[in-house]
Amino acid sequence: MITIPKKGSPERARLIAEHRACIDSMKGVPGCTILRCATPGDTTHVSGGIHEDLLLNRVLLRMRAAMPRSGRRKLVVICTEPDKSWRIGRLSGVRGVPPEFVNDTVYDNEQDPQHDIFLMRLDELDETDGMPEHFHEGWKRRDDNWTVT
């Protein structure tokens, strides 16, 4: 298994730099894809990112699959004003309960908060997070706030 790079390691700094480069090259493109555009904002020719960096691909997969620890819930980008402003929120984990904003930062594009979420999640993950022993059966759990009928 591939472990999450330790804080302060060159491998972690490389992952963060690659993620930032991909995010910057995708500005102007709707959504969030961790690939590099040959020309920023033009997805005609893409490379790098998750296609060429196996570790970055694995770390992102673990982030997306892992249940946040210590009561923290998933982080999401919330559009507060269509095509003008975005913020980062944390899901409540309960259906019908709205997410809460994590800070007062307001972004002028939808890509920058994605990179900040990547950094936040990287700090939240343990080095061994995402190993097979951390996974569970998901929908078969009874602590997922769904009513049992």
Side-chain angles (χ1 to χ4, degrees):
M1 298 287 316
I2 297 174
T3 58
I4 305 295
K6 293 180 182 180
K7 288 183 181 179
S9 71
E11 193 64 19
R12 187 180 182 113
R14 187 191 63 72
L15 275 183
I16 292 170
E18 177 66 17
H19 190 273
R20 178 83 250 174
C22 292
I23 289 291
D24 287 343
S25 79
M26 283 289 183
K27 284 188 178 174
V29 178
C32 181
T33 303
I34 309 304
L35 296 171
R36 284 192 192 202
C37 299
T39 305
D42 179 7
T43 57
T44 307
H45 300 286
V46 292
S47 64
I50 58 173
H51 284 281
E52 296 176 9
D53 191 332
L54 179 63
L55 182 60
L56 179 60
N57 190 356
R58 294 289 172 99
V59 168
L60 286 170
L61 286 174
R62 285 199 185 159
M63 284 181 175
R64 292 172 182 152
M67 291 298 291
R69 305 238 184 275
S70 66
R72 295 183 177 144
R73 298 293 179 175
K74 297 258 181 171
L75 294 162
V76 294
V77 176
I78 301 169
C79 180
T80 55
E81 194 174 344
D83 297 327
K84 291 186 182 176
S85 65
W86 292 263
R87 291 182 65 189
I88 297 174
R90 194 175 289 276
L91 296 177
S92 67
V94 179
R95 286 178 57 134
V97 176
E100 295 179 5
F101 295 122
V102 297
N103 55 33
D104 294 330
T105 307
V106 178
Y107 301 89
D108 63 353
N109 64 70
E110 62 182 310
Q111 281 78 20
D112 287 338
Q114 291 289 351
H115 182 68
D116 287 350
I117 287 175
F118 175 74
L119 297 176
M120 289 176 194
R121 290 295 309 275
L122 204 54
D123 289 341
E124 289 176 3
L125 291 175
D126 294 329
E127 181 184 341
T128 59
D129 195 61
M131 296 298 183
E133 59 269 16
H134 296 138
F135 289 93
H136 50 74
E137 296 184 31
W139 64 273
K140 293 183 179 180
R141 300 188 326 262
R142 291 294 175 214
D143 65 344
D144 57 3
N145 299 310
W146 289 86
T147 57
V148 178
T149 55

